[in-house]
Amino acid sequence: MVDWVKLAQRSRLGRRLRLGALSVFLVAVSIPIAVPYIWMVMIAFTARRGMAETGTLWPALVVILVGLGIYGVAMLWLRRERLAIVMGVLTAFLLGLILLGQDLHLQNFRFMVNANIIDDLDGQGTVGERYPWVWEAFANSLLLASTQTVIVVTVSTLAAYYLSRFSFRGRNTFLQSLLVLQAFPAITLVIPIFLIVFWVGLLNTLYAPILVLTALELPFFIFIMKGFFDAVPWDIEMSAMTDGASRREAFWMVVLPQVRVGMIAIGVFAFIKGWEEYVFVNGLRTGESYWVMSTYLYYVREDVMGVDYGMVAAVAVLYVLPALILYLFCQKYLTQMTLGGVKG
Amino acid sequence: MAQIELKALQKAWDDAVAVQDMNLTIQDGEFVAILGPSGCGKSTTLLMLAGLYLPTGGDILFDGTRVNEVEARHRNVGIVFQSYALYPNMSVLQNILFPTRFQQTPDAEKRAREMAEMVQINQLLERRPSQLSGGQQQRVALARALIKRPNLLLLDEPLSNLDATLRLTMRAEIRRITRDLGVTTILVTHDQLEATTMADRVVCMNAGRIEQIGRAEDLYLRPDTLFVAGFIGSPPMNLISLPHPLIEAPSIARTFGLRPEALRPAETGLPAQVTHFEPMGREVLTTVQTPLGLLRFLEAGTQPLWQVGDSLHLTHARDDAILFDGTGARIPNATALITEQGYA
């Protein structure tokens, strides 16, 4: 006779143990990823006068751990997600105020209102230099990332549609070469690209990194978009054309809405790529002709008078913010990208 | 509404001929089914009629006017695909209205509602296609194909994705609607029951060619070719290669065909041993081993009259035999008989 009750108990226990082990593993793996970001934020808000304020880092982790613990307990007891989040955040906030309250300040963010960060720090140390202004770098980064995103999304969408729907001589070779291009590390191309940009006369202009990044990113994004177009059934397009649409109208009205997810996904990736770019923005300028966020961050770090870690962290926080916001808003589209599919 | 004429129509790809030498005239308001196994060129023919494929030879005439090069959107043809090809980004009403966006349609919305009523989906107009069942999607596709009063309605395997009961209702529905509107209709299918129950005339195709055109009973009783004889009829016809010592037939005959319902048990005749039964509702299909090989015959009744292993004798009327020559064409007015020599 089989003891069903006992078997069910064993299965429940097994499932709990497996889930528990999985949770512990995931938490352990995420610690080295999450902690640096937490500390970056802490340093930005607590460090003073060029010294890294390590005293606040451990209490900060304690605060977050307690908050997470309260959230976990609340979830287990109350089983109401929103309430649990509110309780966790509230606890962390109050505890943080008690433990770290007197250490928090906004001094490290003074670069946002005053371009003259070095003079401000060390009196008359470096008179006469031209200091980069953070908002100029921010605007340039925004311009670089968004222009590049618009070009990448437009070109890869149109190219991928053509590759997906039309057969022409050399189509397969073209597709294979798209992937081969992706196999080369872009950094190996820095010198030839520098020469080309120099001869074309775009050196020290923002056009150079925009065009170069676009060219480097296109192959991969075309490939991704082709996958999305491949998933759109032919029938729908043929149906639209018998319904009276021209091919272009069918593309706009029927096909394009179905690859929207793909366009948003590659748009986000292209934007983040442009936003974080360092190699080509730094490699294609010879002086200080333009500043973007990555070069600005490097400039702040490079101070001859000793590094102001507090300010570096503060710049980093500002630098991370737009990408983070974009990511949060578009997260649900990005997860669908791996599916590469269109659901009717 | 239009009369459709195909003259020596041909479609060839680089490496294969899909349709060749196709001649067919369809009267105004007629319902014609193109029946054939997959890959016989029936869908290719349909897409040429829609204007989505360009014929490589021959002509397509609508009311006597050659339309070969007329684009799909100008042909005023309605099409329903097997997948229904609804536009997932639009509501049901928007789907039905889609064709009216490209041509002046007075009271488009009123007409869309009439169409919806005719196919009985007026409760679902605000839904998205993904929220509909297969049968409902089918009805939407039909309404969309009919809203612009097409010259010609094309149905590409429209019932294949439906379950058996729904298929039965939709067969009658589609027939009723096309008759009410008097629209010329071409149905493409591999299901002989669909073709024979819905169409005025059936066109049987194989390997890119028309094998026979006629009413369903013509194809069943007087198949022009061996292919039609084997393809039409369920259970299929018994076919035996000639000459055979047990069959008395004209010397030019190379294949002897006999429908399962033409064979019947008798006191004397061809000796047979029962190997298998398939109750089919009001009839039982019995498979027997005979000196001519495995044969099948149908017997009325819900229960088998025999048991596996039973011996019996089979006989048939001389006129029921259908004979084919070496090219596979039927020999008209020829008769044949299975003789009983040595087995009496």
Side-chain angles (χ1 to χ4, degrees):
Chain A
M1 192 58 197
V2 187
D3 188 350
W4 294 106
V5 178
K6 202 172 175 185
L7 282 175
Q9 265 171 1
R10 195 186 297 167
S11 147
R12 267 199 298 274
L13 186 70
R15 196 160 55 232
R16 270 187 204 149
L17 281 179
R18 276 194 298 277
L19 274 178
L22 187 67
S23 311
V24 169
F25 171 76
L26 289 177
V27 168
V29 172
S30 57
I31 283 173
I33 301 166
V35 167
Y37 282 100
I38 295 166
W39 282 358
M40 178 185 84
V41 175
M42 280 315 295
I43 293 170
F45 283 101
T46 59
R48 288 176 197 280
R49 290 286 301 177
M51 302 287 288
E53 192 69 61
T54 50
T56 58
L57 299 183
W58 297 110
L61 286 188
V62 171
V63 167
I64 284 169
L65 273 181
V66 171
L68 276 177
I70 294 287
Y71 163 77
V73 171
M75 265 308 271
L76 277 181
W77 281 95
L78 301 168
R79 302 210 168 271
R80 283 175 57 194
E81 172 120 46
R82 203 161 287 178
L83 188 68
I85 290 178
V86 170
M87 285 174 71
V89 169
L90 213 64
T91 320
F93 182 74
L94 288 176
L95 194 65
L97 216 58
I98 295 163
L99 285 180
L100 307 161
Q102 71 277 21
D103 292 321
L104 296 175
H105 65 90
L106 291 172
Q107 264 302 301
N108 292 325
F109 287 89
R110 66 186 180 280
F111 68 91
M112 289 171 76
V113 288
N114 183 5
N116 197 354
I117 48 176
I118 296 169
D119 281 1
D120 188 47
L121 189 65
D122 297 303
Q124 304 301 310
T126 48
V127 183
E129 283 251 14
R130 179 183 171 270
Y131 305 105
W133 178 218
V134 67
W135 294 113
E136 184 197 324
F138 194 90
N140 276 343
S141 266
L142 211 58
L143 184 72
L144 166 69
S146 44
T147 314
Q148 196 256 122
T149 303
V150 169
I151 301 176
V152 162
V153 171
T154 315
V155 175
S156 56
T157 303
L158 295 174
Y161 176 74
Y162 199 86
L163 280 169
S164 167
R165 288 297 196 251
F166 293 84
S167 68
F168 51 91
R169 195 183 297 263
R171 177 169 174 274
N172 283 331
T173 325
F174 189 86
L175 280 173
Q176 281 156 9
S177 56
L178 281 184
L179 283 187
V180 171
L181 276 178
Q182 209 51 37
F184 292 111
I187 198 147
T188 56
L189 300 173
V190 168
I191 293 167
I193 286 176
F194 182 92
L195 288 175
I196 293 170
V197 166
F198 170 65
W199 285 326
V200 173
L202 289 178
L203 209 59
N204 292 323
T205 67
L206 262 184
Y207 295 112
I210 288 174
L211 291 175
V212 169
L213 284 181
T214 306
L216 289 174
E217 282 166 29
L218 270 178
F220 185 59
F221 287 138
I222 290 175
F223 212 80
I224 295 208
M225 281 312 289
K226 181 183 172 285
F228 276 91
F229 280 114
D230 285 347
V232 178
W234 276 91
D235 285 1
I236 287 185
E237 226 170 325
M238 296 204 280
S239 182
M241 290 198 293
T242 33
D243 279 347
S246 66
R247 179 127 208 177
R248 190 177 292 128
E249 285 165 336
F251 174 73
W252 273 108
M253 299 165 88
V254 171
V255 179
L256 213 52
Q258 297 195 62
V259 296
R260 212 182 85 238
V261 170
M263 291 170 71
I264 292 174
I266 65 166
V268 170
F269 282 118
F271 185 89
I272 288 174
K273 193 88 206 322
W275 183 256
E276 70 175 17
E277 182 58 31
Y278 176 73
V279 172
F280 285 100
V281 285
N282 198 40
L284 298 178
R285 58 170 204 174
T286 47
E288 295 180 347
S289 48
Y290 59 77
W291 290 93
V292 294
M293 283 307 282
S294 56
T295 49
Y296 182 78
L297 182 63
Y298 189 81
Y299 166 82
V300 172
R301 204 222 63 160
E302 209 183 15
D303 191 345
V304 280
M305 298 306 206
V307 186
D308 182 351
Y309 287 110
M311 193 181 287
V312 172
V315 173
V317 168
L318 176 68
Y319 190 12
V320 162
L321 223 49
L324 191 68
I325 291 169
L326 189 68
Y327 219 87
L328 283 179
F329 276 105
C330 301
Q331 200 187 14
K332 62 172 178 174
Y333 300 110
L334 300 185
T335 48
Q336 283 182 38
M337 195 170 110
T338 44
L339 304 174
V342 183
K343 285 185 221 129
Chain B
M1 321 300 134
Q3 185 211 52
I4 313 293
E5 210 173 331
L6 307 182
K7 278 187 180 166
L9 192 66
Q10 188 207 44
K11 177 70 186 179
W13 308 104
D14 291 341
D15 47 355
V17 179
V19 172
Q20 56 186 319
D21 195 30
M22 187 156 180
N23 291 291
L24 177 64
T25 306
I26 298 163
Q27 297 308 323
D28 190 4
E30 197 180 12
F31 194 127
V32 167
I34 301 181
L35 175 66
S38 37
C40 73
K42 56 189 194 299
S43 287
T44 310
T45 309
L46 196 81
L47 293 177
M48 283 193 280
L49 279 163
L52 294 163
Y53 282 179
L54 205 61
T56 47
D59 289 324
I60 300 172
L61 292 91
F62 281 19
D63 280 331
T65 315
R66 185 173 177 277
V67 295
N68 282 28
E69 279 90 28
V70 177
E71 279 180 63
R73 57 186 168 136
H74 297 132
R75 282 198 194 184
N76 195 22
V77 164
I79 192 163
V80 176
F81 286 99
Q82 181 179 354
S83 63
Y84 318 132
L86 300 182
Y87 312 127
N89 51 316
M90 302 176 198
S91 72
V92 167
L93 184 63
Q94 286 169 328
N95 261 283
I96 299 175
L97 280 171
F98 188 77
T100 65
R101 291 206 214 172
F102 307 100
Q103 62 182 50
Q104 289 290 325
T105 315
D107 295 330
E109 185 148 345
K110 182 167 159 278
R111 188 161 162 74
R113 288 181 192 280
E114 280 169 24
M115 282 293 145
E117 201 155 331
M118 187 178 70
V119 298
Q120 296 162 8
I121 45 158
N122 32 353
Q123 310 301 321
L124 310 169
L125 290 178
E126 299 313 316
R127 301 251 190 113
R128 296 265 152 182
S130 55
Q131 296 169 301
L132 303 181
S133 71
Q136 290 166 338
Q137 292 191 25
Q138 161 93 78
R139 287 160 189 268
V140 177
L142 199 59
R144 184 181 65 188
L146 290 171
I147 191 170
K148 58 181 180 182
R149 295 190 178 86
N151 290 326
L152 174 63
L153 177 66
L154 301 172
L155 307 170
D156 188 3
E157 309 255 2
L159 304 177
S160 301
N161 288 356
L162 302 179
D163 64 52
T165 348
L166 204 52
R167 211 178 286 181
L168 201 70
T169 7
M170 282 314 289
R171 274 204 319 242
E173 280 282 275
I174 291 176
R175 199 65 192 94
R176 172 182 68 82
I177 291 163
T178 52
R179 194 173 288 141
D180 286 355
L181 296 175
V183 59
T184 313
T185 308
I186 297 175
L187 166 78
V188 156
T189 179
H190 64 263
D191 181 347
Q192 48 175 305
L193 196 64
E194 234 169 87
T196 52
T197 52
M198 290 168 79
D200 300 323
R201 277 195 302 158
V202 178
V203 177
C204 188
M205 277 185 82
N206 181 40
R209 288 174 187 280
I210 293 182
E211 294 274 339
Q212 188 172 0
I213 305 172
R215 290 176 306 152
E217 61 194 85
D218 293 337
L219 269 65
Y220 188 80
L221 296 175
R222 286 173 292 279
D224 278 350
T225 65
L226 195 54
F227 174 81
V228 177
F231 191 73
I232 306 272
S234 173
M237 186 183 271
N238 294 302
L239 295 170
I240 299 152
S241 294
L242 293 177
H244 193 285
L246 292 182
I247 296 173
E248 179 203 312
S251 57
I252 50 160
R254 287 292 166 272
T255 311
F256 169 88
L258 198 61
R259 293 273 176 208
E261 62 269 26
L263 269 175
R264 58 179 190 277
E267 291 296 309
T268 58
L270 185 71
Q273 198 171 31
V274 177
T275 61
H276 184 59
F277 293 112
E278 284 174 46
M280 300 175 69
R282 318 178 104 242
E283 289 167 320
V284 180
L285 179 68
T286 310
T287 309
V288 291
Q289 180 64 256
T290 73
L292 294 170
L294 284 176
L295 293 182
R296 275 175 291 218
F297 72 96
L298 273 175
E299 231 179 338
T302 50
Q303 288 295 314
L305 298 173
W306 317 92
Q307 288 185 341
V308 171
D310 279 1
S311 290
L312 60 140
H313 293 275
L314 293 171
T315 183
H316 71 98
R318 186 174 259 278
D319 287 346
D320 285 337
I322 301 172
L323 295 164
F324 302 93
D325 64 20
T327 63
R330 181 167 59 95
I331 308 167
N333 303 320
T335 60
L337 192 67
I338 300 175
T339 59
E340 310 157 21
Q341 289 168 351
Y343 292 98

